[in-house]
Amino acid sequence: AIFVNSALSSPPSSPRTGSTLPWAAGAPTNLQVEERVPQSLEISWTAALDMGNCTFSQWHVEIRGTSGTWSSNPMGCQSLSNFGTTSCNLTSLSCDTTFTVRVRQRCLDPQADSAPSVAIDGKTSRAGSCLTPAATPTNLTALALGPSSMQLSWAAGSPHD
């Protein structure tokens, strides 16, 4: 026989339904800098095979420059809402500067978002529009040395690049 002291019993619990967190998508892999040109970096990555419970929304690119702060949706890599688009061209960057980039997969349910990819560094080049032309020489003088010769002198401008 089981003795139950009804004075010490609690009322029955109401039934509850449990929920579990969504299974997150795998992080993108194989992030690479494909091309380095002045003021831009072209990046590409591979989508993870493990989609978890993710219904794809967009690729989310983050970049960190010399400030050390991550910023989202950099110029050239915004609105990447096609799952098959796994590259973009980061633009409007500073010349001759190293940037760190990473990518993650965003899902309709943010709890299923992937972790970020492994971050990689890429450096913009120093060429073309990044170069500063030499300054124009000044104080040009000409001294006639004879009927068919002259001596020129000038002050050199700054050489820059």
Side-chain angles (χ1 to χ4, degrees):
I2 299 176
F3 176 75
V4 177
N5 183 342
S6 61
L8 298 176
S9 297
S10 62
S13 303
S14 5
R16 293 192 173 201
T17 57
S19 65
T20 58
L21 293 176
W23 178 18
T29 60
N30 199 30
L31 179 60
Q32 297 178 30
V33 174
E34 298 292 332
E35 184 178 355
R36 296 168 175 87
V37 296
Q39 298 180 293
S40 69
L41 294 171
E42 184 177 341
I43 61 170
S44 68
W45 60 92
T46 303
L49 296 176
D50 180 4
M51 289 294 291
N53 295 115
C54 177
T55 301
F56 180 80
S57 171
Q58 69 177 7
W59 295 110
H60 183 80
V61 177
E62 296 174 298
I63 188 167
R64 182 175 62 199
T66 54
S67 71
T69 303
W70 288 104
S71 64
S72 298
N73 300 315
M75 292 292 291
C77 293
Q78 303 128 326
S79 304
L80 300 172
S81 57
N82 181 337
F83 182 76
T85 301
T86 56
S87 67
C88 64
N89 192 16
L90 296 155
T91 60
S92 300
L93 303 175
S94 300
C95 298
D96 196 30
T97 304
T98 299
F99 294 91
T100 304
V101 292
R102 64 185 182 188
V103 179
R104 72 176 70 217
Q105 181 175 315
R106 295 279 192 206
C107 307
L108 292 180
D109 180 348
Q111 292 183 354
D113 288 357
S114 76
S117 65
V118 172
I120 63 163
D121 289 341
K123 184 175 182 178
T124 55
S125 66
R126 182 167 179 81
S129 61
C130 295
L131 298 176
T132 305
T136 304
T138 59
N139 300 324
L140 176 62
T141 59
L143 174 63
L145 298 176
S148 61
S149 66
M150 82 172 43
Q151 178 180 1
L152 299 174
S153 65
W154 62 89
S158 303
H160 293 288
D161 295 320

